Each structure stands twice: as C-alpha cells, then as structure tokens.
Amino acid sequence: GAGVSQTPSNKVTEKGKYVELRCDPISGHTALYWYRQSLGQGPEFLIYFQGTGAADDSGLPNDRFFAVRPEGSVSTLKIQRTERGDSAVYLCASSLYGSSTGELFFGEGSRLTVL
Amino acid sequence: TQLLEQSPQFLSIQEGENLTVYCNSSSVFSSLQWYRQEPGEGPVLLVTVVTGGEVKKLKRLTFQFGDARKDSSLHITAAQPGDTGLYLCAGALTGNTPLVFGKGTRLSVIA
C-alpha cells in the first residue's frame, strides 16, 4: 500500500495476556518508530529502528515491552502480561532516512484495550 | 515532566476568527515540527522549522521558531471548520534523536 499499515486496528484483551501489534511501513523507508498515545495526550516515544536494529529503545516503559524488525521492513511490537495501564493507541511511523528533520508518516494506529 | 508544553490545551472559536497556539520548552531543539491529527488517524506533518527566528507560511497558517530555538508558535488566520483537530508540536534535541511530542492543542472551529 501507499501508506503505513497497522494491524489490528482494534484489540481487546484481558489483563495478563500477550499481545502483538504489527506495522508495515512505507516501502523503502529505513527508519521505523513506535509511539504510544493515551487519551488526551500527545504521542509518547517507545522505540526507533534504523534498518533491522533498534537505534533507540529508551522509551520502552519496562521489560514487558519488546519490538523486532527482523528484515528491516515489517515490525512487531510485543507486550507480555498486559496491564490495564497499557491501554492506549499504539502508533507506528516510518521515514525515509531517520533524520530528525524528515517527515514521519504515521499509520492510523492500533487501539489496545486491556480489560 | 513534559519537555514540550503546549498552550492552550483546548480552544473553541468561531469561523473567521484568528488564533495562536504555543509550544514552549526550557530545552534547545535542533528542529521542531508541527503535526495535525484528526480523530482515528495518525498525525500528519504540517511544517518543519530548523533555524532560530524562522517563519514559514502554509496558506492561512504561519509558523515561527523562536530565536533561541526553545519555542514555537502557530498562527491561523480566518479559521475554518476544516481546521478543527489536534495540533501537536514535536521537537528533536539533536539531529539523531527521535521526536518528542507535546500534549497538543485541541482546536474546534464552529461554523
């Protein structure tokens, strides 16, 4: 597709369950970002990939959160033992090179609800 | 603590009015971007500013980066209902650091 694609668009799970969120970036974009947006807040940085490697994972809140990008394209954000506080919209964005002045192209997000 | 403070948080105005929203920090940024987000969608880039004192215009929108590169403003002239949305500023502390977002200003323009 032409834009960043995220699946699922909505995920409802129970506390303690494992969740995977997928991001398919724009073809050819080397940089990929995960952000989390809670109600009434701006996006909060989680992790940034340049190619296959995590260039900056300083925003991951704890070791329950993990992300991979094995082939430098699609990325998966994995959340173990989900908690109610993990409920948020998880946004993925990609950019051509990863420069801070480059445009981030966002997907529509995956809305996670933990009951 | 929030690195980028946006004000006001909410703004409701009549069509045709002018408005200014602000993005402030005590930190110096190498660049700053403004995004607009509509419900159920991801943010969309409006502008990037990189030089202190820089002013950029996008139709009825005027963006300014502060001389010290610590703050920015967005001015909208003759607001229209289509301007309704969440306006987010986002800054990078260095050329290689990920963008940090403010909480946004939620604008509602009433016809």
Side-chain angles (χ1 to χ4, degrees), chain A residues 1-67:
Chain A
V4 176
S5 176
Q6 291 190 245
T7 55
S9 55
N10 273 290
K11 176 71 177 179
V12 180
T13 190
E14 293 179 344
K15 180 176 178 296
K17 299 290 189 183
Y18 170 79
V19 165
E20 287 191 354
L21 306 175
R22 174 189 166 107
C23 173
D24 200 342
I26 293 172
S27 178
H29 280 194
T30 62
L32 184 146
Y33 305 79
W34 283 99
Y35 285 84
R36 175 169 72 174
Q37 187 171 27
S38 301
L39 196 61
Q41 305 290 316
E44 172 195 15
F45 169 73
L46 296 177
I47 186 169
Y48 152 50
F49 288 90
Q50 186 62 256
T52 60
D56 186 339
D57 64 357
S58 62
L60 294 177
N62 51 60
D63 60 7
R64 295 187 297 105
F65 289 75
F66 189 71

Short mmCIF file of all heavy atoms in Angstrom, two decimals, chain A residues 1-67:
data_model
loop_
_atom_site.label_atom_id
_atom_site.label_comp_id
_atom_site.label_asym_id
_atom_site.label_seq_id
_atom_site.Cartn_x
_atom_site.Cartn_y
_atom_site.Cartn_z
N GLY A 1 0.81 -1.20 0.00
CA GLY A 1 0.00 0.00 0.00
C GLY A 1 0.85 1.25 0.00
O GLY A 1 2.04 1.20 0.23
N ALA A 2 0.20 2.39 -0.15
CA ALA A 2 0.92 3.64 -0.26
C ALA A 2 1.35 4.18 1.10
O ALA A 2 2.33 4.91 1.18
CB ALA A 2 0.04 4.66 -0.97
N GLY A 3 0.62 3.84 2.15
CA GLY A 3 0.90 4.42 3.45
C GLY A 3 1.37 3.37 4.44
O GLY A 3 1.61 2.21 4.10
N VAL A 4 1.52 3.80 5.70
CA VAL A 4 1.88 2.90 6.79
C VAL A 4 0.63 2.13 7.21
O VAL A 4 -0.41 2.73 7.46
CB VAL A 4 2.46 3.69 7.98
CG1 VAL A 4 2.74 2.76 9.15
CG2 VAL A 4 3.71 4.46 7.56
N SER A 5 0.76 0.82 7.28
CA SER A 5 -0.37 -0.02 7.62
C SER A 5 -0.16 -0.67 8.98
O SER A 5 0.91 -1.24 9.24
CB SER A 5 -0.54 -1.11 6.55
OG SER A 5 -1.57 -2.00 6.91
N GLN A 6 -1.16 -0.59 9.84
CA GLN A 6 -1.05 -1.19 11.18
C GLN A 6 -2.21 -2.16 11.39
O GLN A 6 -3.35 -1.86 11.06
CB GLN A 6 -1.11 -0.11 12.26
CG GLN A 6 0.12 0.77 12.28
CD GLN A 6 0.14 1.67 13.52
OE1 GLN A 6 0.06 2.90 13.41
NE2 GLN A 6 0.27 1.05 14.69
N THR A 7 -1.87 -3.32 11.96
CA THR A 7 -2.89 -4.30 12.30
C THR A 7 -2.61 -4.90 13.67
O THR A 7 -1.44 -5.03 14.06
CB THR A 7 -2.92 -5.44 11.26
OG1 THR A 7 -1.62 -6.02 11.14
CG2 THR A 7 -3.41 -4.94 9.93
N PRO A 8 -3.65 -5.25 14.44
CA PRO A 8 -5.05 -4.95 14.14
C PRO A 8 -5.36 -3.49 14.40
O PRO A 8 -4.61 -2.80 15.08
CB PRO A 8 -5.79 -5.86 15.13
CG PRO A 8 -4.87 -5.90 16.31
CD PRO A 8 -3.46 -5.92 15.74
N SER A 9 -6.48 -3.00 13.92
CA SER A 9 -6.86 -1.62 14.21
C SER A 9 -7.40 -1.52 15.63
O SER A 9 -7.28 -0.47 16.28
CB SER A 9 -7.89 -1.12 13.21
OG SER A 9 -9.00 -1.98 13.17
N ASN A 10 -8.00 -2.60 16.10
CA ASN A 10 -8.53 -2.66 17.47
C ASN A 10 -8.21 -4.01 18.08
O ASN A 10 -8.35 -5.04 17.41
CB ASN A 10 -10.05 -2.48 17.48
CG ASN A 10 -10.45 -1.02 17.53
OD1 ASN A 10 -10.27 -0.36 18.54
ND2 ASN A 10 -10.97 -0.54 16.44
N LYS A 11 -7.78 -3.99 19.34
CA LYS A 11 -7.50 -5.23 20.04
C LYS A 11 -7.99 -5.10 21.47
O LYS A 11 -7.59 -4.18 22.19
CB LYS A 11 -6.01 -5.52 20.02
CG LYS A 11 -5.59 -6.75 20.81
CD LYS A 11 -6.03 -8.03 20.13
CE LYS A 11 -5.54 -9.25 20.91
NZ LYS A 11 -6.00 -10.51 20.26
N VAL A 12 -8.88 -6.01 21.85
CA VAL A 12 -9.34 -6.07 23.23
C VAL A 12 -8.81 -7.34 23.84
O VAL A 12 -8.97 -8.42 23.26
CB VAL A 12 -10.88 -6.03 23.31
CG1 VAL A 12 -11.32 -6.09 24.78
CG2 VAL A 12 -11.43 -4.78 22.64
N THR A 13 -8.16 -7.23 24.98
CA THR A 13 -7.58 -8.40 25.61
C THR A 13 -7.80 -8.32 27.12
O THR A 13 -8.24 -7.31 27.65
CB THR A 13 -6.08 -8.49 25.29
OG1 THR A 13 -5.58 -9.76 25.71
CG2 THR A 13 -5.29 -7.39 26.00
N GLU A 14 -7.50 -9.42 27.76
CA GLU A 14 -7.65 -9.46 29.21
C GLU A 14 -6.30 -9.24 29.88
O GLU A 14 -5.24 -9.61 29.33
CB GLU A 14 -8.22 -10.81 29.64
CG GLU A 14 -9.66 -11.03 29.18
CD GLU A 14 -10.20 -12.38 29.60
OE1 GLU A 14 -9.37 -13.25 29.96
OE2 GLU A 14 -11.42 -12.57 29.56
N LYS A 15 -6.36 -8.70 31.05
CA LYS A 15 -5.15 -8.48 31.85
C LYS A 15 -4.35 -9.77 31.95
O LYS A 15 -4.90 -10.85 32.19
CB LYS A 15 -5.56 -7.99 33.24
CG LYS A 15 -4.44 -7.69 34.20
CD LYS A 15 -5.01 -7.12 35.49
CE LYS A 15 -3.93 -6.84 36.52
NZ LYS A 15 -3.23 -8.05 36.98
N GLY A 16 -3.03 -9.66 31.71
CA GLY A 16 -2.16 -10.81 31.82
C GLY A 16 -1.89 -11.52 30.49
O GLY A 16 -0.97 -12.35 30.41
N LYS A 17 -2.65 -11.19 29.45
CA LYS A 17 -2.45 -11.84 28.16
C LYS A 17 -1.30 -11.21 27.37
O LYS A 17 -0.85 -10.11 27.68
CB LYS A 17 -3.74 -11.73 27.32
CG LYS A 17 -4.94 -12.41 27.94
CD LYS A 17 -4.82 -13.91 27.92
CE LYS A 17 -6.12 -14.57 28.35
NZ LYS A 17 -5.99 -16.05 28.40
N TYR A 18 -0.87 -11.94 26.33
CA TYR A 18 0.21 -11.48 25.44
C TYR A 18 -0.42 -10.89 24.17
O TYR A 18 -1.40 -11.40 23.66
CB TYR A 18 1.08 -12.69 25.10
CG TYR A 18 2.09 -12.49 24.01
CD1 TYR A 18 3.30 -11.84 24.28
CD2 TYR A 18 1.86 -12.95 22.73
CE1 TYR A 18 4.24 -11.67 23.29
CE2 TYR A 18 2.80 -12.78 21.73
CZ TYR A 18 3.99 -12.15 22.01
OH TYR A 18 4.92 -11.97 21.02
N VAL A 19 0.18 -9.80 23.69
CA VAL A 19 -0.36 -9.10 22.52
C VAL A 19 0.76 -8.78 21.54
O VAL A 19 1.87 -8.44 21.95
CB VAL A 19 -1.04 -7.78 22.96
CG1 VAL A 19 -1.29 -6.87 21.79
CG2 VAL A 19 -2.34 -8.06 23.69
N GLU A 20 0.47 -8.92 20.24
CA GLU A 20 1.39 -8.49 19.20
C GLU A 20 0.68 -7.48 18.31
O GLU A 20 -0.46 -7.70 17.89
CB GLU A 20 1.83 -9.69 18.34
CG GLU A 20 2.79 -10.62 19.03
CD GLU A 20 3.39 -11.64 18.08
OE1 GLU A 20 2.97 -11.69 16.90
OE2 GLU A 20 4.29 -12.38 18.51
N LEU A 21 1.38 -6.40 18.01
CA LEU A 21 0.87 -5.36 17.11
C LEU A 21 1.85 -5.25 15.95
O LEU A 21 3.07 -5.19 16.15
CB LEU A 21 0.75 -4.02 17.85
CG LEU A 21 -0.07 -4.04 19.15
CD1 LEU A 21 0.00 -2.67 19.84
CD2 LEU A 21 -1.50 -4.45 18.88
N ARG A 22 1.29 -5.18 14.74
CA ARG A 22 2.13 -5.23 13.55
C ARG A 22 2.12 -3.90 12.82
O ARG A 22 1.09 -3.22 12.76
CB ARG A 22 1.62 -6.33 12.62
CG ARG A 22 2.32 -6.42 11.26
CD ARG A 22 1.59 -7.40 10.36
NE ARG A 22 2.04 -7.26 8.97
CZ ARG A 22 2.81 -8.14 8.35
NH1 ARG A 22 3.23 -9.22 8.97
NH2 ARG A 22 3.16 -7.94 7.09
N CYS A 23 3.28 -3.54 12.24
CA CYS A 23 3.40 -2.32 11.46
C CYS A 23 4.09 -2.63 10.14
O CYS A 23 5.20 -3.20 10.12
CB CYS A 23 4.20 -1.28 12.22
SG CYS A 23 4.57 0.21 11.25
N ASP A 24 3.46 -2.22 9.05
CA ASP A 24 4.04 -2.38 7.71
C ASP A 24 4.36 -0.97 7.20
O ASP A 24 3.44 -0.22 6.85
CB ASP A 24 3.05 -3.09 6.79
CG ASP A 24 3.71 -3.69 5.59
OD1 ASP A 24 4.85 -3.29 5.26
OD2 ASP A 24 3.10 -4.57 4.95
N PRO A 25 5.63 -0.57 7.16
CA PRO A 25 5.96 0.81 6.81
C PRO A 25 5.88 1.06 5.31
O PRO A 25 5.66 0.14 4.52
CB PRO A 25 7.41 0.94 7.30
CG PRO A 25 7.96 -0.44 7.11
CD PRO A 25 6.83 -1.38 7.43
N ILE A 26 6.09 2.31 4.93
CA ILE A 26 6.16 2.66 3.52
C ILE A 26 7.39 2.00 2.92
O ILE A 26 8.48 2.04 3.51
CB ILE A 26 6.19 4.19 3.34
CG1 ILE A 26 4.84 4.78 3.79
CG2 ILE A 26 6.49 4.58 1.91
CD1 ILE A 26 4.82 6.29 3.85
N SER A 27 7.22 1.41 1.75
CA SER A 27 8.32 0.70 1.10
C SER A 27 9.52 1.62 0.90
O SER A 27 9.38 2.76 0.41
CB SER A 27 7.84 0.15 -0.25
OG SER A 27 8.89 -0.49 -0.92
N GLY A 28 10.70 1.14 1.30
CA GLY A 28 11.91 1.92 1.11
C GLY A 28 12.28 2.81 2.28
O GLY A 28 13.39 3.35 2.33
N HIS A 29 11.39 2.96 3.24
CA HIS A 29 11.70 3.76 4.43
C HIS A 29 12.59 2.95 5.36
O HIS A 29 12.21 1.85 5.79
CB HIS A 29 10.42 4.19 5.14
CG HIS A 29 9.77 5.36 4.50
ND1 HIS A 29 8.77 6.08 5.13
CD2 HIS A 29 9.96 5.96 3.30
CE1 HIS A 29 8.39 7.07 4.33
NE2 HIS A 29 9.10 7.00 3.22
N THR A 30 13.75 3.51 5.70
CA THR A 30 14.69 2.76 6.54
C THR A 30 14.40 2.92 8.03
O THR A 30 14.76 2.08 8.83
CB THR A 30 16.13 3.21 6.28
OG1 THR A 30 16.25 4.59 6.63
CG2 THR A 30 16.50 3.03 4.81
N ALA A 31 13.78 4.03 8.40
CA ALA A 31 13.52 4.30 9.81
C ALA A 31 12.07 3.97 10.18
O ALA A 31 11.15 4.27 9.42
CB ALA A 31 13.80 5.77 10.13
N LEU A 32 11.91 3.37 11.34
CA LEU A 32 10.57 3.00 11.81
C LEU A 32 10.48 3.31 13.30
O LEU A 32 11.41 3.03 14.07
CB LEU A 32 10.30 1.51 11.56
CG LEU A 32 8.90 0.98 11.91
CD1 LEU A 32 8.49 -0.12 10.93
CD2 LEU A 32 8.81 0.51 13.33
N TYR A 33 9.37 3.91 13.69
CA TYR A 33 9.17 4.37 15.06
C TYR A 33 7.87 3.79 15.63
O TYR A 33 6.88 3.67 14.92
CB TYR A 33 9.04 5.90 15.11
CG TYR A 33 10.18 6.66 14.49
CD1 TYR A 33 10.27 6.81 13.11
CD2 TYR A 33 11.17 7.26 15.28
CE1 TYR A 33 11.31 7.51 12.52
CE2 TYR A 33 12.21 7.97 14.70
CZ TYR A 33 12.27 8.08 13.33
OH TYR A 33 13.31 8.78 12.77
N TRP A 34 7.91 3.49 16.92
CA TRP A 34 6.69 3.16 17.65
C TRP A 34 6.46 4.25 18.70
O TRP A 34 7.38 4.62 19.44
CB TRP A 34 6.81 1.81 18.35
CG TRP A 34 6.65 0.63 17.45
CD1 TRP A 34 7.65 -0.14 16.91
CD2 TRP A 34 5.43 0.03 17.01
NE1 TRP A 34 7.12 -1.16 16.16
CE2 TRP A 34 5.76 -1.08 16.21
CE3 TRP A 34 4.08 0.33 17.23
CZ2 TRP A 34 4.78 -1.89 15.62
CZ3 TRP A 34 3.12 -0.47 16.65
CH2 TRP A 34 3.48 -1.58 15.84
N TYR A 35 5.23 4.75 18.74
CA TYR A 35 4.79 5.70 19.75
C TYR A 35 3.52 5.15 20.40
O TYR A 35 2.81 4.33 19.81
CB TYR A 35 4.46 7.07 19.13
CG TYR A 35 5.67 7.90 18.75
CD1 TYR A 35 6.32 7.71 17.54
CD2 TYR A 35 6.13 8.90 19.61
CE1 TYR A 35 7.42 8.48 17.20
CE2 TYR A 35 7.24 9.69 19.26
CZ TYR A 35 7.86 9.46 18.06
OH TYR A 35 8.95 10.23 17.72
N ARG A 36 3.24 5.63 21.59
CA ARG A 36 2.00 5.26 22.29
C ARG A 36 1.27 6.55 22.65
O ARG A 36 1.89 7.50 23.15
CB ARG A 36 2.35 4.48 23.56
CG ARG A 36 1.16 4.13 24.44
CD ARG A 36 1.55 3.15 25.52
NE ARG A 36 2.37 3.73 26.56
CZ ARG A 36 2.72 3.09 27.66
NH1 ARG A 36 2.33 1.83 27.85
NH2 ARG A 36 3.47 3.66 28.58
N GLN A 37 -0.03 6.57 22.39
CA GLN A 37 -0.81 7.78 22.65
C GLN A 37 -2.00 7.43 23.54
O GLN A 37 -2.91 6.69 23.13
CB GLN A 37 -1.30 8.42 21.35
CG GLN A 37 -1.96 9.76 21.53
CD GLN A 37 -2.23 10.46 20.20
OE1 GLN A 37 -2.39 9.81 19.17
NE2 GLN A 37 -2.29 11.79 20.22
N SER A 38 -1.98 7.96 24.74
CA SER A 38 -3.10 7.76 25.66
C SER A 38 -4.10 8.89 25.45
O SER A 38 -3.78 9.93 24.86
CB SER A 38 -2.60 7.76 27.11
OG SER A 38 -1.66 6.72 27.31
N LEU A 39 -5.29 8.69 25.95
CA LEU A 39 -6.37 9.66 25.75
C LEU A 39 -5.98 11.04 26.27
O LEU A 39 -5.52 11.18 27.40
CB LEU A 39 -7.62 9.16 26.47
CG LEU A 39 -8.94 9.82 26.07
CD1 LEU A 39 -9.22 9.58 24.59
CD2 LEU A 39 -10.08 9.28 26.92
N GLY A 40 -6.10 12.04 25.41
CA GLY A 40 -5.80 13.41 25.82
C GLY A 40 -4.33 13.75 25.88
O GLY A 40 -3.97 14.83 26.35
N GLN A 41 -3.49 12.85 25.39
CA GLN A 41 -2.05 13.08 25.43
C GLN A 41 -1.47 13.11 24.02
O GLN A 41 -2.11 12.66 23.06
CB GLN A 41 -1.36 11.96 26.21
CG GLN A 41 -1.89 11.75 27.62
CD GLN A 41 -1.54 12.88 28.53
OE1 GLN A 41 -0.41 13.36 28.53
NE2 GLN A 41 -2.51 13.35 29.31
N GLY A 42 -0.25 13.61 23.92
CA GLY A 42 0.46 13.51 22.66
C GLY A 42 1.16 12.16 22.56
O GLY A 42 1.24 11.42 23.54
N PRO A 43 1.63 11.81 21.38
CA PRO A 43 2.36 10.54 21.23
C PRO A 43 3.60 10.50 22.11
O PRO A 43 4.35 11.47 22.19
CB PRO A 43 2.73 10.54 19.75
CG PRO A 43 1.72 11.43 19.09
CD PRO A 43 1.45 12.50 20.10
N GLU A 44 3.81 9.34 22.76
CA GLU A 44 4.95 9.13 23.63
C GLU A 44 5.89 8.14 22.94
O GLU A 44 5.48 7.02 22.58
CB GLU A 44 4.45 8.57 24.96
CG GLU A 44 5.52 8.11 25.92
CD GLU A 44 4.95 7.25 27.04
OE1 GLU A 44 3.79 6.79 26.93
OE2 GLU A 44 5.67 7.02 28.02
N PHE A 45 7.15 8.51 22.77
CA PHE A 45 8.13 7.68 22.07
C PHE A 45 8.38 6.37 22.81
O PHE A 45 8.55 6.35 24.02
CB PHE A 45 9.44 8.45 21.90
CG PHE A 45 10.59 7.61 21.42
CD1 PHE A 45 10.63 7.18 20.11
CD2 PHE A 45 11.60 7.23 22.28
CE1 PHE A 45 11.68 6.39 19.65
CE2 PHE A 45 12.66 6.45 21.85
CZ PHE A 45 12.70 6.03 20.53
N LEU A 46 8.42 5.28 22.05
CA LEU A 46 8.75 3.97 22.61
C LEU A 46 10.10 3.47 22.10
O LEU A 46 11.02 3.21 22.86
CB LEU A 46 7.66 2.95 22.28
CG LEU A 46 6.27 3.20 22.86
CD1 LEU A 46 5.29 2.14 22.37
CD2 LEU A 46 6.31 3.23 24.38
N ILE A 47 10.22 3.30 20.77
CA ILE A 47 11.42 2.70 20.19
C ILE A 47 11.57 3.13 18.74
O ILE A 47 10.58 3.43 18.07
CB ILE A 47 11.35 1.15 20.30
CG1 ILE A 47 12.65 0.48 19.85
CG2 ILE A 47 10.15 0.60 19.52
CD1 ILE A 47 12.72 -1.01 20.19
N TYR A 48 12.83 3.16 18.28
CA TYR A 48 13.14 3.61 16.93
C TYR A 48 14.10 2.60 16.31
O TYR A 48 15.10 2.22 16.91
CB TYR A 48 13.75 5.01 17.03
CG TYR A 48 14.71 5.44 15.95
CD1 TYR A 48 14.40 5.33 14.60
CD2 TYR A 48 15.93 6.03 16.30
CE1 TYR A 48 15.29 5.76 13.63
CE2 TYR A 48 16.81 6.47 15.32
CZ TYR A 48 16.49 6.33 14.00
OH TYR A 48 17.36 6.77 13.02
N PHE A 49 13.78 2.14 15.09
CA PHE A 49 14.63 1.24 14.33
C PHE A 49 15.24 1.97 13.15
O PHE A 49 14.59 2.74 12.46
CB PHE A 49 13.80 0.07 13.77
CG PHE A 49 13.36 -0.93 14.79
CD1 PHE A 49 12.15 -0.77 15.44
CD2 PHE A 49 14.14 -2.02 15.10
CE1 PHE A 49 11.72 -1.70 16.38
CE2 PHE A 49 13.73 -2.95 16.04
CZ PHE A 49 12.52 -2.79 16.68
N GLN A 50 16.51 1.71 12.92
CA GLN A 50 17.17 2.11 11.69
C GLN A 50 17.57 0.80 11.01
O GLN A 50 18.50 0.13 11.47
CB GLN A 50 18.37 3.01 11.97
CG GLN A 50 19.03 3.58 10.73
CD GLN A 50 18.09 4.48 9.94
OE1 GLN A 50 17.56 4.11 8.91
NE2 GLN A 50 17.90 5.68 10.43
N GLY A 51 16.89 0.45 9.95
CA GLY A 51 17.11 -0.86 9.36
C GLY A 51 16.57 -1.94 10.28
O GLY A 51 15.45 -1.85 10.78
N THR A 52 17.37 -2.95 10.54
CA THR A 52 16.93 -4.07 11.38
C THR A 52 17.19 -3.85 12.86
O THR A 52 16.61 -4.53 13.71
CB THR A 52 17.63 -5.37 10.97
OG1 THR A 52 19.04 -5.19 11.12
CG2 THR A 52 17.33 -5.72 9.51
N GLY A 53 18.06 -2.92 13.18
CA GLY A 53 18.47 -2.75 14.57
C GLY A 53 17.72 -1.64 15.29
O GLY A 53 17.36 -0.63 14.69
N ALA A 54 17.54 -1.85 16.59
CA ALA A 54 16.91 -0.82 17.41
C ALA A 54 17.95 0.25 17.73
O ALA A 54 18.87 0.01 18.51
CB ALA A 54 16.35 -1.43 18.69
N ALA A 55 17.79 1.43 17.12
CA ALA A 55 18.74 2.51 17.34
C ALA A 55 18.53 3.19 18.68
O ALA A 55 19.46 3.76 19.26
CB ALA A 55 18.62 3.53 16.21
N ASP A 56 17.29 3.16 19.17
CA ASP A 56 16.98 3.82 20.44
C ASP A 56 15.74 3.16 21.02
O ASP A 56 14.67 3.27 20.42
CB ASP A 56 16.75 5.32 20.20
CG ASP A 56 16.55 6.11 21.49
OD1 ASP A 56 16.22 5.52 22.54
OD2 ASP A 56 16.73 7.35 21.45
N ASP A 57 15.89 2.45 22.14
CA ASP A 57 14.74 1.82 22.78
C ASP A 57 14.49 2.41 24.16
O ASP A 57 13.88 1.77 25.02
CB ASP A 57 14.92 0.30 22.86
CG ASP A 57 16.08 -0.10 23.75
OD1 ASP A 57 16.79 0.79 24.27
OD2 ASP A 57 16.30 -1.32 23.93
N SER A 58 14.95 3.64 24.36
CA SER A 58 14.89 4.26 25.68
C SER A 58 13.47 4.56 26.14
O SER A 58 13.25 4.80 27.32
CB SER A 58 15.70 5.56 25.68
OG SER A 58 15.16 6.48 24.75
N GLY A 59 12.51 4.54 25.22
CA GLY A 59 11.13 4.85 25.60
C GLY A 59 10.30 3.65 26.03
O GLY A 59 9.19 3.82 26.53
N LEU A 60 10.83 2.45 25.87
CA LEU A 60 10.07 1.26 26.31
C LEU A 60 9.90 1.34 27.82
O LEU A 60 10.88 1.46 28.55
CB LEU A 60 10.80 -0.01 25.91
CG LEU A 60 10.91 -0.28 24.41
CD1 LEU A 60 11.71 -1.55 24.16
CD2 LEU A 60 9.53 -0.38 23.77
N PRO A 61 8.67 1.25 28.32
CA PRO A 61 8.43 1.51 29.75
C PRO A 61 8.99 0.44 30.68
O PRO A 61 9.37 0.77 31.81
CB PRO A 61 6.89 1.57 29.85
CG PRO A 61 6.38 0.93 28.61
CD PRO A 61 7.41 1.07 27.56
N ASN A 62 9.06 -0.79 30.25
CA ASN A 62 9.62 -1.87 31.09
C ASN A 62 9.88 -3.09 30.21
O ASN A 62 9.66 -3.04 29.00
CB ASN A 62 8.64 -2.21 32.23
CG ASN A 62 7.24 -2.47 31.71
OD1 ASN A 62 7.02 -3.36 30.92
ND2 ASN A 62 6.29 -1.64 32.16
N ASP A 63 10.36 -4.17 30.83
CA ASP A 63 10.76 -5.33 30.04
C ASP A 63 9.59 -6.16 29.55
O ASP A 63 9.79 -7.21 28.92
CB ASP A 63 11.75 -6.20 30.82
CG ASP A 63 11.18 -6.74 32.12
OD1 ASP A 63 9.97 -6.54 32.36
OD2 ASP A 63 11.94 -7.35 32.88
N ARG A 64 8.37 -5.74 29.81
CA ARG A 64 7.22 -6.44 29.22
C ARG A 64 7.05 -6.05 27.75
O ARG A 64 6.34 -6.72 27.01
CB ARG A 64 5.94 -6.12 29.99
CG ARG A 64 5.92 -6.62 31.43
CD ARG A 64 4.56 -6.41 32.07
NE ARG A 64 4.18 -5.00 32.17
CZ ARG A 64 3.28 -4.42 31.37
NH1 ARG A 64 2.65 -5.12 30.43
NH2 ARG A 64 2.99 -3.14 31.52
N PHE A 65 7.68 -4.96 27.36
CA PHE A 65 7.56 -4.45 26.00
C PHE A 65 8.81 -4.82 25.21
O PHE A 65 9.93 -4.62 25.68
CB PHE A 65 7.40 -2.93 26.01
CG PHE A 65 6.08 -2.44 26.51
CD1 PHE A 65 5.77 -2.46 27.87
CD2 PHE A 65 5.13 -1.96 25.63
CE1 PHE A 65 4.55 -2.02 28.33
CE2 PHE A 65 3.89 -1.50 26.09
CZ PHE A 65 3.60 -1.53 27.43
N PHE A 66 8.57 -5.30 23.99
CA PHE A 66 9.69 -5.68 23.12
C PHE A 66 9.26 -5.45 21.68
O PHE A 66 8.09 -5.61 21.34
CB PHE A 66 10.06 -7.15 23.35
CG PHE A 66 11.32 -7.57 22.67
CD1 PHE A 66 12.55 -7.12 23.12
CD2 PHE A 66 11.30 -8.43 21.59
CE1 PHE A 66 13.72 -7.50 22.50
CE2 PHE A 66 12.46 -8.82 20.95
CZ PHE A 66 13.68 -8.35 21.41
N ALA A 67 10.18 -5.07 20.81
CA ALA A 67 9.84 -4.87 19.39
C ALA A 67 10.95 -5.44 18.53
O ALA A 67 12.12 -5.42 18.91
CB ALA A 67 9.63 -3.39 19.09
#
